[in-house]
Amino acid sequence: AEPDVFTCELPQAVLLCSDGLSNMVTNEDILAYMTSGKSAEEIVSSLLDEANKNGGTDNITAFAVFA
């Protein structure tokens, strides 16, 4: 098998997350956390807490990267 490989410019920040997070926290709230100026670790921890507070009906995975 031959993998597809490409390059692109990344935005200032990237959040990879499962639907356990994106279904429990609104896009607006995610954006607010991502632009809060906190560290990636603090943001992910806060997002996990928010998703659980909002019901946490699924397992949650999140990974944030800042340029």
Side-chain angles (χ1 to χ4, degrees):
E2 195 68 30
D4 290 331
V5 178
F6 61 93
T7 60
C8 63
E9 285 190 42
L10 292 176
Q12 184 179 357
V14 174
L15 175 69
L16 301 174
C17 68
S18 66
D19 62 348
L21 176 69
S22 61
N23 287 341
M24 294 284 118
V25 182
T26 66
N27 290 339
E28 293 79 12
D29 286 343
I30 291 171
L31 180 61
Y33 281 108
M34 291 295 291
T35 58
S36 67
K38 295 181 179 181
S39 71
E41 183 176 348
E42 291 173 309
I43 290 168
V44 169
S45 179
S46 296
L47 285 168
L48 296 177
D49 289 344
E50 185 74 18
N52 282 318
K53 184 180 85 175
N54 292 340
T57 58
D58 198 356
N59 48 353
I60 306 163
T61 303
F63 181 80
V65 177
F66 291 86

